[in-house]
Amino acid sequence: MAQIDEKPPIGARNAESVTLDELDVAILHFLERKGRATNYEVGEAVGLSASAASRRILALEASRVIRGYRAMVDDRLLGKRRLVYIRVTLERQSAAVLEAFEAAVRRCHDIVACHLMAGQYDYMLVARVAGIDDYGRLHQSELSRLPGVVRLETSFALRDVLESRV
Protein backbone atom coordinates (compact mmCIF):
# COMPACT_ATOMS: atom_id res chain seq x y z
CA MET A 1 0.00 0.00 0.00
CA ALA A 2 1.25 3.52 -0.74
CA GLN A 3 2.71 5.41 2.18
CA ILE A 4 0.82 8.54 3.22
CA ASP A 5 2.51 11.49 4.87
CA GLU A 6 1.49 11.68 8.49
CA LYS A 7 0.52 14.70 10.52
CA PRO A 8 2.06 15.59 13.89
CA PRO A 9 0.97 13.19 16.65
CA ILE A 10 -2.15 14.22 18.54
CA GLY A 11 -0.59 13.44 21.93
CA ALA A 12 1.00 16.88 22.01
CA ARG A 13 -2.40 18.55 21.79
CA ASN A 14 -4.82 19.31 24.59
CA ALA A 15 -6.75 16.08 25.32
CA GLU A 16 -10.06 17.96 25.54
CA SER A 17 -9.66 19.34 22.04
CA VAL A 18 -8.39 16.26 20.21
CA THR A 19 -9.00 16.45 16.49
CA LEU A 20 -8.91 13.20 14.57
CA ASP A 21 -8.14 13.00 10.88
CA GLU A 22 -9.15 10.25 8.43
CA LEU A 23 -6.09 8.16 9.27
CA ASP A 24 -6.80 8.30 13.01
CA VAL A 25 -10.39 7.21 12.39
CA ALA A 26 -9.25 4.41 10.07
CA ILE A 27 -6.77 3.20 12.71
CA LEU A 28 -9.49 3.26 15.38
CA HIS A 29 -11.94 1.30 13.21
CA PHE A 30 -9.26 -1.27 12.39
CA LEU A 31 -8.28 -1.68 16.05
CA GLU A 32 -11.94 -2.05 17.05
CA ARG A 33 -12.13 -5.09 14.78
CA LYS A 34 -8.63 -6.42 15.43
CA GLY A 35 -7.29 -5.05 18.72
CA ARG A 36 -4.28 -7.37 18.77
CA ALA A 37 -3.02 -6.27 15.35
CA THR A 38 0.64 -5.48 14.98
CA ASN A 39 1.78 -2.01 14.02
CA TYR A 40 2.71 -3.46 10.64
CA GLU A 41 -0.85 -4.78 10.11
CA VAL A 42 -2.38 -1.47 11.18
CA GLY A 43 -0.03 0.42 8.88
CA GLU A 44 -0.81 -1.86 5.95
CA ALA A 45 -4.53 -1.42 6.50
CA VAL A 46 -4.41 2.39 6.53
CA GLY A 47 -1.45 3.13 4.26
CA LEU A 48 1.26 3.96 6.81
CA SER A 49 4.58 2.44 7.74
CA ALA A 50 4.66 0.35 10.91
CA SER A 51 6.58 3.09 12.74
CA ALA A 52 4.12 5.81 11.65
CA ALA A 53 1.19 3.62 12.70
CA SER A 54 2.91 3.00 16.05
CA ARG A 55 3.40 6.73 16.67
CA ARG A 56 -0.26 7.44 15.90
CA ILE A 57 -1.47 4.59 18.12
CA LEU A 58 0.73 5.83 20.97
CA ALA A 59 -0.66 9.34 20.50
CA LEU A 60 -4.24 8.02 20.49
CA GLU A 61 -3.48 6.15 23.72
CA ALA A 62 -1.77 9.18 25.31
CA SER A 63 -4.74 11.41 24.51
CA ARG A 64 -7.11 8.73 25.94
CA VAL A 65 -8.98 8.31 22.65
CA ILE A 66 -7.90 4.68 23.02
CA ARG A 67 -8.72 3.92 26.64
CA GLY A 68 -7.39 0.39 26.73
CA TYR A 69 -7.56 -3.09 25.30
CA ARG A 70 -9.50 -6.08 26.54
CA ALA A 71 -10.63 -9.55 25.62
CA MET A 72 -14.22 -9.61 24.41
CA VAL A 73 -15.56 -12.88 25.83
CA ASP A 74 -18.62 -14.40 24.19
CA ASP A 75 -20.75 -15.09 27.27
CA ARG A 76 -23.08 -17.21 25.12
CA LEU A 77 -20.32 -19.82 24.80
CA LEU A 78 -20.15 -19.86 28.59
CA GLY A 79 -23.86 -20.63 28.84
CA LYS A 80 -25.05 -17.01 29.24
CA ARG A 81 -27.40 -16.94 26.24
CA ARG A 82 -30.06 -14.43 27.35
CA LEU A 83 -29.62 -10.68 27.17
CA VAL A 84 -31.63 -8.82 29.81
CA TYR A 85 -32.38 -5.09 30.05
CA ILE A 86 -33.18 -3.79 33.51
CA ARG A 87 -34.61 -0.30 34.00
CA VAL A 88 -33.85 1.00 37.48
CA THR A 89 -35.59 3.74 39.43
CA LEU A 90 -33.83 5.05 42.53
CA GLU A 91 -35.38 6.58 45.63
CA ARG A 92 -33.60 9.87 44.85
CA GLN A 93 -30.76 11.14 42.70
CA SER A 94 -28.45 12.52 45.33
CA ALA A 95 -24.73 12.15 44.76
CA ALA A 96 -24.44 9.69 47.66
CA VAL A 97 -27.22 7.43 46.31
CA LEU A 98 -25.83 7.51 42.77
CA GLU A 99 -22.29 6.73 43.95
CA ALA A 100 -23.43 3.86 46.20
CA PHE A 101 -25.57 2.36 43.41
CA GLU A 102 -22.78 2.61 40.81
CA ALA A 103 -20.19 1.10 43.15
CA ALA A 104 -22.50 -1.85 43.88
CA VAL A 105 -23.29 -2.40 40.19
CA ARG A 106 -19.57 -2.60 39.39
CA ARG A 107 -19.38 -5.64 41.70
CA CYS A 108 -22.16 -7.53 39.83
CA HIS A 109 -20.41 -9.89 37.43
CA ASP A 110 -23.51 -10.61 35.31
CA ILE A 111 -24.04 -6.91 34.56
CA VAL A 112 -22.25 -6.16 31.29
CA ALA A 113 -23.29 -2.50 30.97
CA CYS A 114 -24.74 0.27 33.14
CA HIS A 115 -25.95 3.63 31.85
CA LEU A 116 -27.19 6.67 33.77
CA MET A 117 -30.29 7.74 31.85
CA ALA A 118 -32.40 10.81 31.24
CA GLY A 119 -36.13 10.20 31.20
CA GLN A 120 -38.53 7.99 33.15
CA TYR A 121 -35.96 5.82 34.91
CA ASP A 122 -32.52 6.47 36.35
CA TYR A 123 -30.35 3.64 35.04
CA MET A 124 -30.39 1.04 32.30
CA LEU A 125 -28.55 -2.15 33.17
CA VAL A 126 -27.69 -4.86 30.68
CA ALA A 127 -27.04 -8.39 31.91
CA ARG A 128 -26.24 -11.72 30.29
CA VAL A 129 -27.81 -14.73 32.00
CA ALA A 130 -28.25 -18.42 31.21
CA GLY A 131 -32.03 -18.21 31.33
CA ILE A 132 -35.02 -17.26 33.42
CA ASP A 133 -33.83 -19.23 36.47
CA ASP A 134 -30.43 -17.57 36.31
CA TYR A 135 -32.11 -14.16 36.05
CA GLY A 136 -34.23 -15.08 39.08
CA ARG A 137 -31.03 -15.76 41.01
CA LEU A 138 -29.50 -12.47 39.84
CA HIS A 139 -32.65 -10.54 40.74
CA GLN A 140 -33.01 -12.06 44.20
CA SER A 141 -29.36 -12.14 45.26
CA GLU A 142 -28.01 -8.96 43.67
CA LEU A 143 -30.41 -6.60 41.86
CA SER A 144 -33.01 -6.37 44.62
CA ARG A 145 -30.22 -5.56 47.09
CA LEU A 146 -28.68 -2.67 45.17
CA PRO A 147 -28.67 0.50 47.30
CA GLY A 148 -31.39 3.08 46.67
CA VAL A 149 -33.47 0.95 44.29
CA VAL A 150 -37.25 1.39 44.50
CA ARG A 151 -38.23 -0.18 41.17
CA LEU A 152 -36.82 -2.67 38.65
CA GLU A 153 -38.41 -3.29 35.24
CA THR A 154 -36.98 -6.11 33.16
CA SER A 155 -37.15 -6.96 29.46
CA PHE A 156 -35.59 -9.99 27.78
CA ALA A 157 -34.06 -9.81 24.32
CA LEU A 158 -35.38 -12.48 21.97
CA ARG A 159 -32.46 -12.33 19.57
CA ASP A 160 -29.27 -10.30 19.07
CA VAL A 161 -29.52 -8.41 15.78
CA LEU A 162 -26.52 -6.08 16.06
CA GLU A 163 -23.89 -6.49 18.76
CA SER A 164 -22.53 -3.49 20.65
CA ARG A 165 -19.30 -2.11 19.24
CA VAL A 166 -18.36 -0.57 22.55
Side-chain angles (χ1 to χ4, degrees):
M1 202 172 245
Q3 300 298 311
I4 300 172
D5 290 333
E6 70 168 304
K7 65 177 179 133
I10 63 175
R13 294 184 223 146
N14 183 339
E16 288 80 36
S17 64
V18 170
T19 303
L20 304 177
D21 66 12
E22 289 180 25
L23 283 171
D24 293 325
V25 172
I27 288 169
L28 293 170
H29 286 304
F30 187 79
L31 288 174
E32 283 178 324
R33 289 187 312 277
K34 191 173 179 186
R36 294 183 66 169
T38 65
N39 292 328
Y40 176 80
E41 291 171 316
V42 174
E44 280 288 305
V46 302
L48 292 173
S49 67
S51 62
S54 175
R55 283 191 297 275
R56 281 181 175 256
I57 292 168
L58 288 171
L60 289 164
E61 291 169 349
S63 65
R64 304 280 300 143
V65 172
I66 295 176
R67 297 182 310 185
Y69 300 88
R70 64 181 181 185
M72 301 295 289
V73 177
D74 189 341
D75 287 334
R76 293 169 295 195
L77 297 176
L78 301 176
K80 304 284 186 168
R81 299 195 186 315
R82 296 287 168 243
L83 196 58
V84 182
Y85 295 89
I86 305 121
R87 292 167 300 282
V88 179
T89 303
L90 299 178
E91 61 190 357
R92 63 183 168 278
Q93 290 189 347
S94 68
V97 171
L98 296 175
E99 288 171 17
F101 175 82
E102 291 174 9
V105 164
R106 287 186 187 97
R107 292 189 296 272
C108 296
H109 296 290
D110 291 322
I111 304 298
V112 297
C114 174
H115 307 280
L116 178 63
M117 305 297 289
Q120 289 185 314
Y121 45 90
D122 299 312
Y123 285 92
M124 170 68 81
L125 305 178
V126 182
R128 273 240 185 239
V129 296
I132 193 78
D133 291 339
D134 193 27
Y135 176 72
R137 175 208 47 84
L138 175 65
H139 185 278
Q140 183 177 12
S141 66
E142 296 186 53
L143 298 177
S144 63
R145 298 176 184 194
L146 291 170
V149 172
V150 294
R151 184 179 174 136
L152 298 169
E153 294 179 33
T154 303
S155 299
F156 289 84
L158 299 176
R159 179 170 42 102
D160 295 342
V161 176
L162 179 64
E163 291 285 335
S164 172
R165 295 184 183 125
V166 182

